[in-house]
Amino acid sequence: MAILDTEAPLHEAHRDNHTHRDVNGGWLRPAVFGAMDGLVSNLALMTGVAGGAVSQHTIVLTGLAGLAAGAFSMAAGEYTSVASQRELVEAELAVERRELCKHPQDEENELAALYAARGVEPHLAREVARQLSRDPEQALEIHAREELGVDPGDLPSPLVAAVSSFGSFALGALLPVLPWLLGATVLWPAVLLALIGLFACGAVVAKVTARTWWYSGLRQLVLGGAAAGVTYALGSLFGTAVG
């Protein structure tokens, strides 16, 4: 009995603490892609221009222009993408709502068949479908989840996605420009700060994924560094050819 008494609380504690990460990524995707894109694209843009042996003023102007253009582009793209996705889902929900009004019994039978196909006894599946179909809004929510894989009450916001993308891109794109704005006259401080930022972003992303922080951070650092190195080489080549 003593063993059972000590094991039961452990089982209860494990069950109470059983949680999952946020896998929907509603906030994570635009924020992470915005910051990474801002860092990599502006770092690559500035190193490419710097490779052409241009003036410090030109490099800073290029970085600021890249920040502004990229941030607005990301925001517009995210807004359009999420708005289009939301409109498509809302159109499908309207179709489902009409079907529930016009053919409630057919929809109830469809729901029962779906549960039965998943292993629920046919009689129980019909009873569950009947009870869940009493409330039209609840029935719509269930059909949307089962057939469309969406939650009608938790659709993504185009405005949130746009603002998140704009802010995160601008923040990421600012890092390569910041040393120049603070008085740097050579390229390496901007590259170093941007690479640190890439590693930090990758490490933060690892907090909501199954990867270790150092692996995720190194992956982003290597990818961003490779992009900067290639564009610098191309900038040097083009600068020599044009010059």
Coordinates of all heavy atoms in Angstrom, one line a residue, residues 13-111:
A13 N 1.0 14.0 -10.9 CA 1.8 15.2 -11.2 C 2.3 15.2 -12.7 O 2.3 16.2 -13.3 CB 3.1 15.2 -10.3
H14 N 2.6 14.0 -13.2 CA 3.0 13.9 -14.6 C 1.8 14.3 -15.5 O 2.0 15.0 -16.5 CB 3.5 12.5 -14.9 CG 3.7 12.2 -16.3 ND1 4.8 12.7 -16.9 CD2 3.0 11.5 -17.2 CE1 4.8 12.4 -18.2 NE2 3.7 11.7 -18.4
R15 N 0.6 13.8 -15.1 CA -0.5 14.1 -16.0 C -0.9 15.6 -15.9 O -1.2 16.2 -16.9 CB -1.7 13.3 -15.5 CG -2.9 13.4 -16.3 CD -4.1 12.5 -15.9 NE -4.5 12.9 -14.5 CZ -5.4 12.2 -13.9 NH1 -5.9 11.1 -14.4 NH2 -5.8 12.6 -12.7
D16 N -0.8 16.2 -14.7 CA -1.1 17.6 -14.6 C -0.1 18.5 -15.4 O -0.4 19.6 -15.9 CB -1.1 18.0 -13.2 CG -2.3 17.4 -12.4 OD1 -3.2 16.9 -13.1 OD2 -2.2 17.3 -11.2
N17 N 1.2 18.0 -15.5 CA 2.2 18.9 -16.1 C 2.4 18.5 -17.6 O 3.4 19.0 -18.2 CB 3.6 18.7 -15.4 CG 3.5 19.2 -14.0 OD1 2.8 20.2 -13.7 ND2 4.2 18.6 -13.1
H18 N 1.5 17.7 -18.2 CA 1.7 17.3 -19.6 C 1.2 18.4 -20.5 O 0.0 18.7 -20.6 CB 0.8 16.1 -19.8 CG 1.0 15.5 -21.2 ND1 2.1 14.9 -21.6 CD2 0.2 15.5 -22.3 CE1 2.0 14.5 -22.9 NE2 0.8 14.9 -23.3
T19 N 2.1 19.1 -21.1 CA 1.8 20.2 -22.0 C 2.6 20.1 -23.3 O 3.5 19.3 -23.4 CB 2.3 21.6 -21.4 OG1 3.7 21.6 -21.1 CG2 1.5 21.9 -20.1
H20 N 2.1 20.8 -24.3 CA 2.7 20.8 -25.6 C 3.1 22.2 -26.0 O 2.6 23.2 -25.6 CB 1.7 20.2 -26.6 CG 1.4 18.7 -26.4 ND1 2.3 17.8 -26.8 CD2 0.3 18.1 -25.9 CE1 1.8 16.6 -26.5 NE2 0.6 16.8 -26.0
R21 N 4.1 22.2 -27.0 CA 4.5 23.5 -27.6 C 3.4 24.0 -28.5 O 2.5 23.2 -28.9 CB 5.8 23.3 -28.4 CG 7.0 22.9 -27.5 CD 8.2 22.8 -28.4 NE 9.4 22.4 -27.7 CZ 9.8 21.2 -27.6 NH1 9.1 20.2 -28.0 NH2 10.9 20.9 -26.9
D22 N 3.4 25.3 -28.8 CA 2.5 25.9 -29.7 C 2.9 25.5 -31.1 O 4.0 26.0 -31.6 CB 2.5 27.4 -29.6 CG 1.6 28.1 -30.6 OD1 0.8 27.3 -31.3 OD2 1.7 29.3 -30.8
V23 N 2.2 24.5 -31.8 CA 2.6 24.0 -33.1 C 1.9 24.8 -34.2 O 2.2 24.5 -35.4 CB 2.3 22.5 -33.2 CG1 3.2 21.8 -32.2 CG2 0.8 22.2 -33.0
N24 N 1.0 25.6 -33.9 CA 0.3 26.4 -35.0 C 1.2 27.4 -35.6 O 1.1 27.7 -36.8 CB -1.0 27.0 -34.4 CG -2.0 26.0 -34.1 OD1 -2.2 25.0 -34.7 ND2 -2.8 26.3 -33.1
G25 N 2.0 28.0 -34.8 CA 3.0 29.0 -35.4 C 2.3 30.3 -35.9 O 2.9 30.9 -36.8
G26 N 1.2 30.7 -35.4 CA 0.6 31.9 -35.8 C 1.4 33.1 -35.7 O 1.5 34.0 -36.5
W27 N 2.1 33.2 -34.5 CA 3.0 34.3 -34.3 C 4.4 34.0 -34.7 O 5.2 34.9 -35.1 CB 3.0 34.7 -32.8 CG 3.5 33.6 -31.9 CD1 2.8 32.5 -31.4 CD2 4.9 33.3 -31.6 NE1 3.6 31.7 -30.7 CE2 4.9 32.1 -30.8 CE3 6.1 34.0 -31.8 CZ2 6.1 31.6 -30.3 CZ3 7.2 33.5 -31.3 CH2 7.2 32.3 -30.5
L28 N 4.8 32.7 -34.6 CA 6.2 32.4 -34.9 C 6.6 32.5 -36.3 O 7.7 33.0 -36.6 CB 6.4 30.9 -34.4 CG 7.8 30.4 -34.5 CD1 8.8 31.2 -33.6 CD2 7.9 28.9 -34.1
R29 N 5.8 32.1 -37.2 CA 6.2 32.0 -38.6 C 6.6 33.4 -39.2 O 7.7 33.6 -39.7 CB 5.1 31.4 -39.5 CG 5.5 31.2 -41.0 CD 4.4 30.6 -41.8 NE 3.3 31.4 -41.8 CZ 3.1 32.3 -42.8 NH1 4.0 32.5 -43.7 NH2 2.0 33.0 -42.8
P30 N 5.6 34.4 -39.1 CA 6.0 35.7 -39.6 C 7.1 36.4 -38.9 O 8.0 37.1 -39.5 CB 4.7 36.5 -39.5 CG 3.9 35.8 -38.5 CD 4.2 34.4 -38.6
A31 N 7.2 36.2 -37.5 CA 8.2 36.8 -36.8 C 9.6 36.3 -37.1 O 10.6 37.0 -37.3 CB 8.0 36.7 -35.3
V32 N 9.7 34.9 -37.1 CA 11.0 34.3 -37.4 C 11.4 34.5 -38.8 O 12.6 34.9 -39.1 CB 10.9 32.8 -37.1 CG1 12.1 32.1 -37.7 CG2 10.7 32.5 -35.7
F33 N 10.5 34.3 -39.8 CA 10.9 34.6 -41.2 C 11.2 36.0 -41.4 O 12.1 36.3 -42.2 CB 9.8 34.1 -42.1 CG 9.8 32.7 -42.4 CD1 9.1 31.8 -41.7 CD2 10.6 32.2 -43.5 CE1 9.1 30.4 -42.0 CE2 10.7 30.8 -43.8 CZ 9.9 29.9 -43.0
G34 N 10.5 36.9 -40.8 CA 10.8 38.3 -40.9 C 12.2 38.7 -40.4 O 13.0 39.4 -41.1
A35 N 12.5 38.2 -39.2 CA 13.8 38.6 -38.6 C 15.0 37.9 -39.4 O 16.0 38.6 -39.7 CB 13.9 38.1 -37.2
M36 N 14.8 36.6 -39.8 CA 15.9 36.0 -40.5 C 16.0 36.6 -41.9 O 17.2 36.8 -42.3 CB 15.5 34.5 -40.7 CG 15.5 33.7 -39.4 SD 17.1 33.6 -38.6 CE 16.7 32.6 -37.2
D37 N 14.9 36.9 -42.6 CA 15.0 37.5 -43.9 C 15.7 38.9 -43.8 O 16.5 39.3 -44.7 CB 13.6 37.6 -44.5 CG 13.7 37.9 -46.0 OD1 14.7 37.6 -46.6 OD2 12.6 38.3 -46.5
G38 N 15.3 39.6 -42.8 CA 15.9 41.0 -42.6 C 17.4 40.9 -42.4 O 18.2 41.6 -43.0
L39 N 17.8 40.0 -41.5 CA 19.2 39.8 -41.3 C 20.0 39.4 -42.5 O 21.0 40.0 -42.9 CB 19.4 38.8 -40.1 CG 19.5 39.3 -38.7 CD1 19.3 38.2 -37.7 CD2 20.8 40.1 -38.5
V40 N 19.5 38.3 -43.1 CA 20.3 37.7 -44.2 C 20.3 38.6 -45.4 O 21.3 38.8 -46.0 CB 19.7 36.3 -44.5 CG1 20.4 35.7 -45.8 CG2 19.9 35.3 -43.4
S41 N 19.1 39.1 -45.8 CA 19.0 39.8 -47.0 C 19.7 41.2 -46.9 O 20.4 41.6 -47.9 CB 17.5 40.1 -47.4 OG 16.9 40.9 -46.4
N42 N 19.6 41.9 -45.8 CA 20.3 43.2 -45.7 C 21.8 43.0 -45.5 O 22.6 43.8 -46.0 CB 19.7 44.0 -44.6 CG 19.6 45.4 -44.9 OD1 19.4 45.8 -46.1 ND2 19.7 46.3 -43.9
L43 N 22.2 41.9 -44.8 CA 23.6 41.7 -44.6 C 24.2 41.3 -46.0 O 25.3 41.8 -46.4 CB 23.8 40.5 -43.7 CG 25.3 40.0 -43.5 CD1 26.2 41.1 -43.0 CD2 25.3 38.8 -42.6
A44 N 23.5 40.5 -46.8 CA 24.0 40.1 -48.1 C 24.0 41.3 -49.0 O 25.0 41.5 -49.8 CB 23.1 39.0 -48.7
L45 N 23.0 42.1 -48.9 CA 22.9 43.3 -49.8 C 24.1 44.3 -49.5 O 24.7 44.8 -50.4 CB 21.6 44.0 -49.6 CG 21.3 45.3 -50.3 CD1 21.4 45.1 -51.8 CD2 20.0 46.0 -49.9
M46 N 24.3 44.5 -48.2 CA 25.4 45.5 -47.8 C 26.8 44.9 -48.1 O 27.6 45.7 -48.6 CB 25.2 45.8 -46.4 CG 23.9 46.6 -46.0 SD 23.8 46.9 -44.3 CE 25.1 48.1 -44.0
T47 N 27.0 43.6 -47.9 CA 28.3 43.1 -48.2 C 28.5 43.0 -49.7 O 29.7 43.2 -50.2 CB 28.4 41.7 -47.6 OG1 27.3 40.8 -48.1 CG2 28.5 41.7 -46.1
G48 N 27.5 42.8 -50.5 CA 27.6 42.8 -51.9 C 28.0 44.2 -52.4 O 28.9 44.3 -53.3
V49 N 27.4 45.2 -51.9 CA 27.7 46.6 -52.3 C 29.1 46.9 -51.8 O 29.9 47.6 -52.5 CB 26.6 47.6 -51.7 CG1 27.1 49.0 -51.9 CG2 25.3 47.3 -52.4
A50 N 29.4 46.5 -50.5 CA 30.8 46.8 -50.0 C 31.8 46.1 -50.8 O 33.0 46.7 -51.0 CB 30.8 46.4 -48.5
G51 N 31.5 45.0 -51.4 CA 32.5 44.3 -52.2 C 32.9 45.0 -53.5 O 33.9 44.8 -54.1
G52 N 32.0 45.9 -53.9 CA 32.3 46.8 -55.0 C 33.1 48.0 -54.7 O 33.3 48.8 -55.6
A53 N 33.7 48.1 -53.5 CA 34.6 49.1 -53.1 C 33.9 50.5 -53.3 O 34.5 51.4 -53.9 CB 35.9 49.1 -54.0
V54 N 32.7 50.6 -52.7 CA 32.0 51.9 -52.8 C 32.3 52.7 -51.5 O 32.9 52.2 -50.5 CB 30.5 51.7 -53.0 CG1 30.2 51.0 -54.3 CG2 29.9 50.9 -51.8
S55 N 31.7 53.9 -51.4 CA 31.9 54.7 -50.2 C 31.1 54.2 -49.0 O 30.1 53.5 -49.2 CB 31.6 56.2 -50.5 OG 30.2 56.3 -50.7
Q56 N 31.5 54.7 -47.8 CA 30.7 54.3 -46.6 C 29.3 54.9 -46.7 O 28.4 54.2 -46.3 CB 31.4 54.9 -45.4 CG 30.7 54.7 -44.1 CD 31.4 55.4 -42.9 OE1 32.6 55.8 -43.0 NE2 30.7 55.5 -41.8
H57 N 29.2 56.1 -47.2 CA 27.8 56.7 -47.4 C 26.9 55.8 -48.2 O 25.7 55.6 -47.9 CB 28.0 58.1 -48.0 CG 26.6 58.7 -48.3 ND1 25.9 59.3 -47.3 CD2 26.0 58.9 -49.5 CE1 24.8 59.8 -47.9 NE2 24.8 59.5 -49.2
T58 N 27.5 55.2 -49.3 CA 26.7 54.4 -50.2 C 26.3 53.1 -49.5 O 25.1 52.6 -49.6 CB 27.5 54.0 -51.4 OG1 27.8 55.3 -52.1 CG2 26.7 53.2 -52.4
I59 N 27.1 52.5 -48.7 CA 26.8 51.3 -47.9 C 25.7 51.5 -46.9 O 24.7 50.8 -46.9 CB 28.1 50.8 -47.2 CG1 29.1 50.4 -48.2 CG2 27.7 49.6 -46.4 CD1 30.5 50.0 -47.6
V60 N 25.8 52.6 -46.2 CA 24.8 53.0 -45.2 C 23.4 53.2 -45.9 O 22.4 52.7 -45.4 CB 25.2 54.2 -44.3 CG1 24.0 54.6 -43.4 CG2 26.4 53.8 -43.5
L61 N 23.4 54.0 -47.0 CA 22.2 54.3 -47.7 C 21.6 53.0 -48.3 O 20.4 52.8 -48.2 CB 22.5 55.3 -48.8 CG 21.3 55.7 -49.7 CD1 20.3 56.4 -48.8 CD2 21.8 56.6 -50.8
T62 N 22.4 52.1 -48.7 CA 22.0 50.8 -49.2 C 21.3 50.0 -48.1 O 20.2 49.4 -48.3 CB 23.1 50.0 -49.8 OG1 23.7 50.7 -50.9 CG2 22.6 48.6 -50.3
G63 N 21.9 50.0 -46.9 CA 21.3 49.3 -45.8 C 20.0 49.8 -45.4 O 19.0 49.1 -45.1
L64 N 19.9 51.1 -45.3 CA 18.6 51.7 -44.9 C 17.5 51.5 -45.9 O 16.4 51.3 -45.6 CB 18.8 53.2 -44.6 CG 19.7 53.6 -43.4 CD1 20.0 55.1 -43.3 CD2 19.1 53.1 -42.1
A65 N 17.9 51.7 -47.2 CA 16.9 51.4 -48.3 C 16.5 50.0 -48.3 O 15.3 49.7 -48.4 CB 17.6 51.8 -49.6
G66 N 17.4 49.0 -48.0 CA 17.0 47.6 -48.0 C 16.1 47.3 -46.8 O 15.2 46.5 -46.9
L67 N 16.4 48.0 -45.7 CA 15.5 47.8 -44.5 C 14.1 48.3 -44.8 O 13.1 47.6 -44.5 CB 16.1 48.6 -43.3 CG 15.5 48.5 -42.0 CD1 16.4 48.9 -40.9 CD2 14.2 49.4 -41.8
A68 N 14.0 49.5 -45.3 CA 12.6 50.0 -45.6 C 11.9 49.2 -46.7 O 10.7 48.8 -46.5 CB 12.7 51.5 -46.0
A69 N 12.6 49.0 -47.8 CA 11.9 48.2 -48.9 C 11.5 46.8 -48.4 O 10.4 46.3 -48.7 CB 12.9 48.2 -50.1
G70 N 12.4 46.2 -47.7 CA 12.2 44.8 -47.3 C 11.0 44.7 -46.3 O 10.2 43.8 -46.3
A71 N 11.0 45.6 -45.3 CA 10.0 45.6 -44.3 C 8.6 45.8 -44.9 O 7.7 45.1 -44.5 CB 10.3 46.7 -43.2
F72 N 8.5 46.8 -45.8 CA 7.2 47.1 -46.4 C 6.8 45.9 -47.3 O 5.6 45.5 -47.4 CB 7.2 48.4 -47.2 CG 7.1 49.6 -46.3 CD1 8.2 50.4 -46.1 CD2 5.9 49.9 -45.7 CE1 8.0 51.6 -45.3 CE2 5.7 51.0 -44.9 CZ 6.8 51.8 -44.7
S73 N 7.7 45.3 -48.0 CA 7.5 44.2 -48.9 C 7.0 43.0 -48.1 O 6.0 42.3 -48.4 CB 8.7 43.8 -49.7 OG 8.5 42.7 -50.5
M74 N 7.7 42.7 -47.0 CA 7.3 41.6 -46.1 C 5.9 41.8 -45.5 O 5.1 40.9 -45.5 CB 8.3 41.4 -45.0 CG 9.6 40.7 -45.4 SD 9.4 39.0 -45.7 CE 9.0 38.4 -44.0
A75 N 5.6 43.0 -45.0 CA 4.3 43.3 -44.5 C 3.2 43.1 -45.5 O 2.2 42.5 -45.2 CB 4.3 44.7 -43.9
A76 N 3.4 43.7 -46.7 CA 2.4 43.6 -47.7 C 2.2 42.1 -48.1 O 1.0 41.7 -48.3 CB 2.8 44.4 -48.9
G77 N 3.3 41.4 -48.3 CA 3.2 40.0 -48.7 C 2.4 39.2 -47.6 O 1.6 38.3 -48.0
E78 N 2.8 39.4 -46.4 CA 2.1 38.6 -45.3 C 0.6 38.9 -45.2 O -0.2 38.1 -45.0 CB 2.8 38.9 -44.0 CG 4.1 38.1 -43.7 CD 3.8 36.6 -43.6 OE1 2.7 36.2 -43.1 OE2 4.7 35.8 -43.9
Y79 N 0.3 40.2 -45.3 CA -1.1 40.7 -45.2 C -1.9 40.0 -46.4 O -3.0 39.5 -46.1 CB -1.2 42.2 -45.3 CG -2.6 42.7 -45.1 CD1 -3.0 43.0 -43.8 CD2 -3.5 42.8 -46.1 CE1 -4.3 43.4 -43.6 CE2 -4.8 43.2 -45.9 CZ -5.2 43.5 -44.7 OH -6.5 43.9 -44.5
T80 N -1.4 40.1 -47.6 CA -2.1 39.5 -48.7 C -2.2 38.0 -48.6 O -3.3 37.5 -48.8 CB -1.3 39.9 -50.0 OG1 -1.2 41.3 -50.2 CG2 -2.1 39.3 -51.2
S81 N -1.2 37.4 -48.2 CA -1.2 35.9 -48.1 C -2.2 35.4 -47.0 O -3.0 34.6 -47.2 CB 0.2 35.4 -47.7 OG 0.2 34.0 -47.5
V82 N -2.1 36.0 -45.8 CA -3.0 35.6 -44.7 C -4.4 36.0 -45.0 O -5.3 35.3 -44.7 CB -2.5 36.2 -43.4 CG1 -3.5 35.9 -42.3 CG2 -1.1 35.7 -43.0
A83 N -4.6 37.2 -45.6 CA -6.0 37.6 -45.9 C -6.6 36.7 -46.9 O -7.8 36.3 -46.8 CB -6.0 39.1 -46.4
S84 N -5.9 36.3 -47.9 CA -6.4 35.4 -49.0 C -6.7 34.0 -48.4 O -7.8 33.5 -48.7 CB -5.3 35.2 -50.1 OG -5.1 36.5 -50.7
Q85 N -5.8 33.6 -47.5 CA -6.1 32.3 -46.8 C -7.4 32.4 -46.0 O -8.2 31.5 -46.0 CB -4.9 31.9 -46.0 CG -5.1 30.6 -45.2 CD -3.9 30.3 -44.3 OE1 -3.1 31.2 -44.0 NE2 -3.9 29.1 -43.7
R86 N -7.5 33.5 -45.2 CA -8.7 33.6 -44.4 C -9.9 33.7 -45.2 O -11.0 33.2 -44.8 CB -8.5 34.9 -43.5 CG -9.6 35.1 -42.5 CD -9.4 36.4 -41.7 NE -10.5 36.6 -40.7 CZ -10.4 36.5 -39.4 NH1 -9.2 36.2 -38.9 NH2 -11.4 36.6 -38.6
E87 N -9.9 34.5 -46.3 CA -11.1 34.6 -47.1 C -11.5 33.3 -47.7 O -12.7 33.0 -47.8 CB -10.8 35.6 -48.2 CG -10.7 37.0 -47.7 CD -10.0 38.0 -48.7 OE1 -9.7 37.5 -49.9 OE2 -9.9 39.2 -48.4
L88 N -10.5 32.4 -48.1 CA -10.8 31.1 -48.6 C -11.5 30.3 -47.5 O -12.5 29.6 -47.8 CB -9.5 30.4 -49.1 CG -9.7 29.0 -49.5 CD1 -10.6 28.9 -50.7 CD2 -8.3 28.4 -49.9
V89 N -11.0 30.3 -46.3 CA -11.6 29.5 -45.2 C -13.0 30.0 -44.9 O -13.9 29.2 -44.7 CB -10.7 29.6 -44.0 CG1 -11.4 29.0 -42.8 CG2 -9.4 28.9 -44.2
E90 N -13.2 31.3 -44.9 CA -14.5 31.9 -44.6 C -15.5 31.5 -45.7 O -16.7 31.3 -45.4 CB -14.4 33.4 -44.5 CG -13.7 33.8 -43.2 CD -13.5 35.3 -43.1 OE1 -13.6 36.0 -44.2 OE2 -13.2 35.9 -42.0
A91 N -15.0 31.4 -47.0 CA -15.9 31.0 -48.0 C -16.3 29.6 -47.9 O -17.5 29.2 -48.1 CB -15.2 31.2 -49.4
E92 N -15.4 28.7 -47.5 CA -15.7 27.3 -47.2 C -16.6 27.1 -46.0 O -17.5 26.3 -46.0 CB -14.4 26.5 -47.1 CG -13.6 26.4 -48.3 CD -14.4 25.7 -49.4 OE1 -15.0 24.7 -49.2 OE2 -14.3 26.2 -50.6
L93 N -16.4 28.0 -45.0 CA -17.3 27.9 -43.8 C -18.7 28.3 -44.2 O -19.7 27.8 -43.7 CB -16.8 28.8 -42.7 CG -15.5 28.4 -42.0 CD1 -15.0 29.5 -41.1 CD2 -15.7 27.1 -41.3
A94 N -18.9 29.3 -45.1 CA -20.2 29.7 -45.6 C -20.9 28.6 -46.3 O -22.1 28.4 -46.1 CB -20.1 30.9 -46.5
V95 N -20.1 27.8 -47.1 CA -20.7 26.7 -47.8 C -21.2 25.6 -46.8 O -22.3 25.1 -46.9 CB -19.7 26.0 -48.8 CG1 -20.2 24.7 -49.3 CG2 -19.3 27.0 -49.9
E96 N -20.4 25.4 -45.8 CA -20.7 24.4 -44.8 C -21.9 24.8 -44.0 O -22.8 24.0 -43.6 CB -19.5 24.2 -43.8 CG -19.7 22.9 -42.9 CD -19.7 21.6 -43.7 OE1 -19.0 21.5 -44.7 OE2 -20.4 20.7 -43.3
R97 N -22.0 26.1 -43.7 CA -23.1 26.7 -42.9 C -24.4 26.5 -43.7 O -25.5 26.1 -43.2 CB -22.9 28.1 -42.6 CG -24.0 28.7 -41.7 CD -23.7 30.2 -41.3 NE -22.7 30.3 -40.3 CZ -21.5 30.7 -40.4 NH1 -21.0 31.0 -41.6 NH2 -20.7 30.7 -39.4
R98 N -24.4 26.7 -45.0 CA -25.6 26.6 -45.9 C -26.0 25.1 -45.9 O -27.2 24.8 -45.9 CB -25.3 27.1 -47.3 CG -25.2 28.6 -47.4 CD -25.3 29.0 -48.9 NE -24.3 28.5 -49.7 CZ -23.1 29.1 -49.9 NH1 -22.9 30.3 -49.3 NH2 -22.2 28.6 -50.7
E99 N -25.0 24.2 -46.0 CA -25.4 22.8 -46.0 C -26.0 22.3 -44.7 O -26.9 21.5 -44.7 CB -24.1 22.0 -46.3 CG -23.6 22.1 -47.7 CD -24.6 21.6 -48.7 OE1 -25.2 20.5 -48.5 OE2 -24.8 22.3 -49.7
L100 N -25.5 22.9 -43.6 CA -26.1 22.5 -42.3 C -27.6 23.1 -42.2 O -28.4 22.4 -41.5 CB -25.3 23.1 -41.2 CG -23.9 22.4 -40.9 CD1 -23.1 23.3 -40.0 CD2 -24.2 21.0 -40.2
C101 N -27.8 24.2 -42.8 CA -29.2 24.7 -42.8 C -30.1 24.0 -43.7 O -31.3 23.7 -43.4 CB -29.2 26.2 -43.1 SG -28.4 27.2 -41.9
K102 N -29.6 23.6 -44.9 CA -30.5 23.0 -45.9 C -30.6 21.5 -45.8 O -31.7 20.9 -46.0 CB -29.9 23.3 -47.3 CG -29.9 24.8 -47.7 CD -29.1 25.0 -49.0 CE -29.6 24.2 -50.2 NZ -28.8 24.6 -51.4
H103 N -29.5 20.8 -45.3 CA -29.5 19.4 -45.2 C -28.9 19.0 -43.9 O -27.9 18.3 -43.8 CB -28.7 18.8 -46.4 CG -29.1 19.2 -47.7 ND1 -30.3 18.9 -48.3 CD2 -28.4 20.0 -48.6 CE1 -30.4 19.5 -49.5 NE2 -29.2 20.2 -49.7
P104 N -29.6 19.3 -42.8 CA -29.0 19.0 -41.5 C -28.9 17.5 -41.2 O -27.9 17.1 -40.6 CB -30.0 19.6 -40.5 CG -31.3 19.8 -41.3 CD -30.9 20.0 -42.7
Q105 N -29.8 16.7 -41.7 CA -29.7 15.3 -41.5 C -28.6 14.7 -42.2 O -27.9 13.8 -41.7 CB -31.1 14.6 -41.8 CG -31.2 13.1 -41.4 CD -31.0 12.9 -39.9 OE1 -31.7 13.6 -39.1 NE2 -30.1 12.1 -39.5
D106 N -28.4 15.1 -43.4 CA -27.3 14.6 -44.2 C -25.9 14.9 -43.6 O -25.0 14.1 -43.6 CB -27.3 15.2 -45.6 CG -28.5 14.6 -46.5 OD1 -29.0 13.6 -46.1 OD2 -28.8 15.3 -47.5
E107 N -25.8 16.1 -43.1 CA -24.6 16.5 -42.4 C -24.4 15.7 -41.1 O -23.3 15.4 -40.7 CB -24.6 18.0 -42.1 CG -24.6 18.9 -43.3 CD -23.3 18.8 -44.1 OE1 -22.2 18.8 -43.5 OE2 -23.4 18.5 -45.3
E108 N -25.5 15.5 -40.4 CA -25.4 14.7 -39.2 C -24.9 13.2 -39.5 O -24.1 12.7 -38.8 CB -26.7 14.6 -38.5 CG -26.7 13.8 -37.2 CD -28.1 13.8 -36.5 OE1 -28.7 14.9 -36.5 OE2 -28.5 12.7 -36.0
N109 N -25.5 12.7 -40.6 CA -25.1 11.3 -41.0 C -23.6 11.3 -41.5 O -22.9 10.4 -41.2 CB -26.0 10.9 -42.2 CG -27.4 10.7 -41.8 OD1 -27.7 10.5 -40.6 ND2 -28.3 10.7 -42.7
E110 N -23.2 12.4 -42.1 CA -21.8 12.5 -42.5 C -20.9 12.5 -41.3 O -19.8 11.9 -41.3 CB -21.6 13.8 -43.3 CG -20.2 14.0 -43.9 CD -20.1 15.3 -44.7 OE1 -21.2 15.8 -45.2 OE2 -19.0 15.8 -44.8
L111 N -21.3 13.2 -40.3 CA -20.4 13.3 -39.1 C -20.4 11.9 -38.4 O -19.3 11.5 -37.9 CB -21.0 14.4 -38.1 CG -20.1 14.8 -37.0 CD1 -18.8 15.4 -37.5 CD2 -20.9 15.8 -36.1

